[in-house]
Amino acid sequence: VSLNQNNLVRLSPEIARPEYQRTEGRAGIMHVGVGGFHRSHEAYYTDALMQIQETPEWGICGVGLREADRQMAAVLEKQDSLYTLITKHPAGDIENRVIGSLTGFMMGCDDPAAVIERMANPDIRIVSLTITEGGYNVDTETGDFDFSNPDAQHDLQNPTTPRLVFGYLTAALRLRRANGIPAFTVQSCDNIQHNGNLTRKMVLGFARRQDPELADWIENEVCFPNAMVDRITPVTTAEDIRYLDEKMGLLDEWPVTCEPFCQWVIEDRFSDGRPEWELVGAQFVPDVTPYETMKLRLLNAGHSVLGILGAIYGFGTIDEAVSDKLFAKFLRRFMDLEATPTLDAVEGIDLDAYKNTLIERFGNPNIKDSLARICLESSSKLPVFLLPTIQANLDRGGSVKYAALVIAAWCFYSDKGVDQHGRELEIVDELKQALHDAAKRTHDDPLSFLKLKSVFGDLAMNERFANTYADLVAQLSNDVDVSALMSEIIESDT
Ligand code: NAD
């Protein structure tokens, strides 16, 4: 059967579906950027809430601002805003659930005035975003709003027909203020540290240039809660669509797949109320910082540890790497001995359980995450994921050898461009050439790679780290197998 509201009663009993009254068109949230992640995360939480609490006022109206959203608009329209969430468990079992929390979709580029008007409707109390890291229009040199973007210039000149999300938010907030309607909350769900603060900075940067008085009002009235979001959501494939059709008898033109793990930690600051997402697993906290640090230093750093060591060893995917006992043990030791001691206590989180879950998530054979993707742009990742852990351990006299091996392996990776068996690696990094040049000079100066200041700062000046690193990098360049070095490091602790 084709997926739509009338056919819900005809679905295979194996497929869970909305058991609540779906009110077409009713929404309290407008969401910009209805891609895979919004549909596996915020819309999933909201659907779960609607399932246990009658809250039609929190339906979600999707918004697409770009031509690229047209296909999503068409599919959702055809399917009465319904889609299937396919959750793939590590052991291979699959859960299917039709999600009903989306109640409509609007294309901004077709009728910007209609979207602005809807955002200004008092029913709308939250505008949430997943517009990707690039959507925040940050000037990379100054960190401020990038007015050199022609779309930003267009929006300044044409306040009622904007192109960027900042133009829409500003126009809608102007209308609310004029009509005496309270401000909505702007809630970023993108994977950015302190995503709410960044959104606030960009909205205010734009609004101030256009209308300083309105900017003052926004500054006082609009909440921009920071949030940490987590759920691996790969791009939907033709195979996912075929699976639903052939195995479940369901024709869904654009389902979403994801892992079972799901996390949403949100700062509890909202301008005009919010859904009780805490009833379905979200966590409201006063400050997300410790949760973000935990994620960066365990999940993201863990990915890099497996990614770089695994890449030169010759593995292709994360699950392949972590199902190797030595790699799993090395990762766990890194997390326990080097990362965890640098973390503050994180309220509501059992760190041991979190680490166990991470290893299980990394091992999910149904979520094929390639090491090439994990190692992509390492020069911007490692300074955020790994170097603060090294620095903290140097300050506190803690262990640094696990992390040092990762950096030494990264030098090998950047120098050779092949794994230890001579197979070519796919390396994508803005600093690829500089990394390669620095790594190449290791023969003359063992610390040359580490002296790349734009990546490592002053790390090469720390004698303890420099010695540990120099020893490991020399062994790797003498063709000592990376797994032998990993075993040695583990043994030296026991
Ligand atoms: P996606 O490609 O499926 O969807 C991206 C959406 O953003 C699309 O609707 C697109 O039109 C919109 N968009 C892109 N640039 C925009 C812009 N400049 N202005 C307005 N809209 C814009 O990607 P996704 O998997 O849904 O990921 C989106 C974001 O979610 C990521 O960038 C990340 O910050 C966050 N996230 C993703 C995952 C994941 O595993 N996929 C996990 C955690 C967080």
Side-chain angles (χ1 to χ4, degrees), residues 183-481:
F184 47 62
T185 300
V186 181
Q187 186 174 19
S188 168
C189 300
D190 274 298
N191 224 343
I192 297 174
Q193 250 183 308
H194 285 87
N195 51 15
N197 295 358
L198 179 72
T199 312
R200 181 172 193 270
K201 187 173 176 185
M202 295 304 123
V203 170
L204 287 176
F206 175 78
R208 197 160 296 288
R209 179 78 65 97
Q210 195 180 56
D211 182 344
E213 225 185 296
L214 176 65
D216 287 340
W217 186 79
I218 295 176
E219 197 162 12
N220 291 324
E221 302 295 325
V222 181
C223 293
F224 296 86
N226 293 306
M228 185 263 254
V229 297
D230 195 2
R231 182 171 230 183
I232 297 171
T233 308
V235 178
T236 306
T237 63
E239 204 179 313
D240 299 324
I241 296 174
R242 203 161 45 237
Y243 152 80
L244 280 182
D245 180 12
E246 286 172 7
K247 297 279 194 289
M248 296 290 136
L250 176 61
L251 288 170
D252 180 342
E253 291 185 23
W254 205 338
V256 192
T257 63
C258 62
E259 61 169 347
F261 184 87
C262 198
Q263 194 174 28
W264 197 8
V265 185
I266 314 163
E267 286 180 357
D268 202 355
R269 295 186 278 115
F270 285 75
S271 315
D272 190 20
R274 61 164 175 84
E276 290 183 278
W277 283 311
E278 69 271 36
L279 299 179
V280 287
Q283 212 181 333
F284 285 94
V285 300
D287 177 9
V288 296
T289 311
Y291 300 87
E292 285 180 342
T293 311
M294 170 189 82
K295 184 187 170 203
L296 292 170
R297 295 193 186 177
L298 292 172
L299 181 142
N300 299 110
H303 256 160
S304 296
V305 167
L306 292 176
I308 289 175
L309 298 176
I312 73 164
Y313 184 72
F315 286 133
T317 60
I318 281 287
D319 65 294
E320 221 184 329
V322 83
S323 45
D324 181 290
K325 282 207 174 68
L326 175 64
F327 276 73
K329 191 162 185 189
F330 188 89
L331 173 66
R332 185 63 198 226
R333 285 295 176 101
F334 160 77
M335 296 201 282
D336 289 344
L337 292 179
E338 297 191 355
T340 309
T342 74
L343 297 175
D344 293 328
V346 197
E347 204 188 313
I349 304 248
D350 173 344
L351 276 180
D352 252 340
Y354 182 77
K355 288 184 271 190
N356 290 338
T357 311
L358 276 185
I359 292 184
E360 188 182 299
R361 292 172 68 193
F362 289 166
N364 190 332
N366 293 310
I367 309 278
K368 289 274 168 232
D369 223 347
S370 78
L371 298 189
R373 188 190 82 84
I374 299 292
C375 296
L376 197 104
E377 302 298 344
S378 285
S379 67
S380 61
K381 290 178 174 167
L382 294 190
V384 186
F385 302 165
L386 192 61
L387 300 185
T389 297
I390 296 176
Q391 195 52 55
N393 280 315
L394 290 173
D395 294 344
R396 58 181 278 283
S399 162
V400 292
K401 51 197 170 185
Y402 289 81
L405 180 62
V406 177
I407 308 288
W410 189 27
C411 176
F412 180 98
Y413 170 98
S414 306
D415 176 7
K416 314 274 187 208
V418 293
D419 68 18
Q420 289 197 308
H421 313 280
R423 282 179 302 231
E424 194 153 333
L425 294 165
E426 182 192 327
I427 303 182
V428 179
D429 200 304
E430 206 165 274
L431 294 186
K432 182 174 174 179
Q433 193 59 44
L435 291 163
H436 173 75
D437 294 343
K440 246 244 114 48
R441 289 194 303 273
T442 301
H443 316 285
D444 307 324
D445 171 5
L447 299 182
S448 63
F449 188 64
L450 212 52
K451 285 181 181 164
L452 206 61
K453 265 189 180 271
S454 63
V455 176
F456 296 107
D458 289 331
L459 194 55
M461 316 261 274
N462 183 288
E463 211 181 311
R464 178 158 75 97
F465 189 80
N467 290 340
T468 312
Y469 166 83
D471 171 51
L472 293 167
V473 96
Q475 298 205 57
L476 284 175
S477 66
N478 286 334
D479 288 333
V480 177
D481 198 286

Side-chain angles (χ1 to χ4, degrees), residues 33-37 66 69 130-133 135 190-191 229 231-233:
V34 180
F37 184 63
R66 308 174 336 143
D69 293 299
T130 46
I131 53 174
T132 78
E133 292 74 352
D190 274 298
N191 224 343
V229 297
R231 182 171 230 183
I232 297 171
T233 308

Side-chain angles (χ1 to χ4, degrees), residues 116 120 159-160 162 166-176 210 214:
I116 292 168
T160 56
F166 305 99
Y168 279 90
L169 293 171
T170 307
L173 287 164
R174 177 180 297 112
L175 211 52
R176 289 177 87 104
Q210 195 180 56
L214 176 65

